[in-house]
Amino acid sequence: MKRLEGVSLALGVGGGIAAYKAVELMRRLIDEGATVTPILTANSLNFVGLTTFRALGSNEPITSLFNGDSPIPHTKIGQGVDAVVVAPATADILSKFAVGSCDDALSTILVSTDAKVILAAAMHKEMWAHPAVVENVATIRRRGFVVIDPEHGILAGGDVGFGRLAATEVVIDSVVAEVGSKDLAGKSVVVTIGGTREAIDPVRFIGNRSSGKQGFAIVSALLDRGASVVAVSTVELQVESPRLEVVRVESALEMDGATRRSCEDADALIMCAAVADYRVETPWNSKFKRGSGNVPELKLVENPDILAGVVSESKKFSRKFITVGFAAETDDVEKNGRLKIAKKGCDILVVNDVSKEETRFGSADNEVVILFADGSSRFVPLAPKRAIAIEVVNALAERL
Ligand code: PMT
C-alpha cells in the first residue's frame, strides 16, 4: 500500500542551495501516492528550473499570486491540500511564517491554510544558530507546526555544521506521520525488540548482537499508520507517542511474561526480538570471583518459546489475532524459514540472512523473504530497515 495514497500536498521550495533536493523529494512523494503542487519562490528559481517542476509535479507549479488562472490561488491551494510541505525552508521563509507576513505565493499560502504545515529547515550553520532564527523556530513549533531540524554535514562553500536539509526519507516519514494513511487506527500491536540478556551473575550475562534497529523501525511504521503499540523491549526507544507504551525487560523470561500479558488485549504480535534459547539455570547472587582452578561451569536450561506460546494461546481468543515471527538464518535461509514457520505456527515469518555483512545484527539495512502460512512469499530486496518495516507492516495490515 502506498503511504500517501489520496493525499494532496503543496510543496513549497525556498531559495537555498538545497532547492535541487526538492525535485527528488517531489518525485518520491508522488511515488508514495501523493498529488503534489509545487509552489516556487522567486529565489528558488535561481537554483532550480521551472521546467523540471512542470515536468515532474502533479499540477502546474505556482510562482506568483497573479499570473495563473485563479484570482485567489492562495486560498484555493490552502483549502485544497492536506499539508503544505516546505523544503528547503530558508531562514527567510521561517521568519515570514513566524510573523505571518504574506508577500509572495508561498508565504501567503502558508498563512491561508488550516492544513498541516511541515517545514524542513536548511540554511548556513551561522543562520541556523542565529537567535532570531532560533526564536522563529520556537514560535512556529509552539503554534503546533512541524519544523524538521537540518542535519550536520558539509554545507555550501565547504563549511561543516548543522544546516543541511534533512534526508529525503526523514521528510517523507514526517509527512506520512502527519497526513499518511491511518489504516491501522484502532488496532493494537505488540512488538518485541532487541536481544535478551541472560544473567550469569549480577554483572555478567549471555547476550546477542541485536541492536533493536529493525524492531524500532517497525514500531515507527505502525505508529505512522495509526496503530497503538506496546513495545516489549530490551533497548531504549527514541520515539514518543501517546499511542506507544514501552515495557522494558531484560531476560527471555521477563519478555515472555510481558509479551503474553500485552497480547491479551492486542490484535497482533510482531516478534522481532532476538530471544536467547537458553539461560543459566542458577545465576550467582554475587559477582563470580576469579581464582586458580575456579572456572565456573554454566548449566543452561531451555527458555520458553515465546512466539510458539502466544500462537498456541491465541487459538483460544475469540477475536482475530495475527502472529508475525522473524527468523535469523545463516544458511539455507528460505528452506529453514519454511521449516520454522511450520514449527512456530505463526501467520507470517520474516526471514533474514544474518550471515551477510550488510544484513547482520546491528546493520542499517536488511533483506528479507516474507513467508505466509498459506505457502506464499514476498521477497524484499536490500533496503534500509525502515523500508523493510513498511513491507512487514503492509503484510500484517493485509491480514488484519
Ligand atoms: O535488532 P537488529 O540489530 O536490527 O537486528 C534485527 C534482527 C536480526 C534481530 C531481527 O531482524 C531478527 O531476525 N529477529 C529474530 C531473531 C531470532 O531470534 O530469530 P530465531 O530464528 O532464533 O527465532 C525465530 C522467532 O522465534 C523469532 O521471532 C524470535 O523472536 C522467536 N523466539 C525465539 C526464541 C525464543 N525462545 N522465543 C521466541 O519467541
Side-chain angles (χ1 to χ4, degrees), residues 42-65:
N43 284 338
S44 75
L45 294 172
N46 292 315
F47 296 91
V48 280
L50 181 59
T51 312
T52 312
F53 286 89
R54 290 189 78 178
L56 297 176
S58 317
N59 296 319
E60 191 64 17
I62 293 187
T63 55
S64 159
L65 290 175

Side-chain angles (χ1 to χ4, degrees), residues 90-131:
T90 58
D92 180 53
I93 290 173
L94 294 173
S95 157
K96 283 182 188 164
F97 190 47
V99 295
S101 166
C102 301
D103 69 350
D104 65 359
L106 178 57
S107 56
T108 312
I109 287 167
L110 280 167
V111 178
S112 312
T113 189
D114 288 337
K116 303 274 183 183
V117 171
I118 301 156
L119 303 132
M123 61 199 73
H124 219 70
K125 62 188 170 80
E126 288 83 5
M127 299 167 87
W128 179 244
H130 193 282

Side-chain angles (χ1 to χ4, degrees), residues 205-262:
F205 59 85
I206 299 172
N208 61 68
R209 298 179 197 277
S210 169
S211 61
K213 283 181 195 164
Q214 185 63 79
F216 173 72
I218 288 172
V219 169
S220 299
L222 287 165
L223 290 172
D224 283 350
R225 301 271 282 264
S228 298
V229 179
V230 180
V232 179
S233 179
T234 63
V235 293
E236 203 172 316
L237 297 194
Q238 307 294 335
V239 66
E240 279 185 21
S241 163
R243 285 182 280 110
L244 173 65
E245 183 192 342
V246 181
V247 184
R248 283 298 297 271
V249 294
E250 212 173 82
S251 65
L253 284 182
E254 286 171 9
M255 183 171 277
D256 186 42
T259 304
R260 281 168 189 260
R261 273 192 302 280
S262 305

Side-chain angles (χ1 to χ4, degrees), residues 7 9 12 15 27 50 56 63 65 76 81 98 114 118 121 155 186 199 236 291 297 311 337 364-365 372:
V7 171
L9 302 173
R27 201 187 56 75
L50 181 59
L56 297 176
T63 55
L65 290 175
K76 199 165 156 245
V81 295
D114 288 337
I118 301 156
L155 307 170
E236 203 172 316
E297 281 191 17
V311 167
D365 299 331
F372 298 93

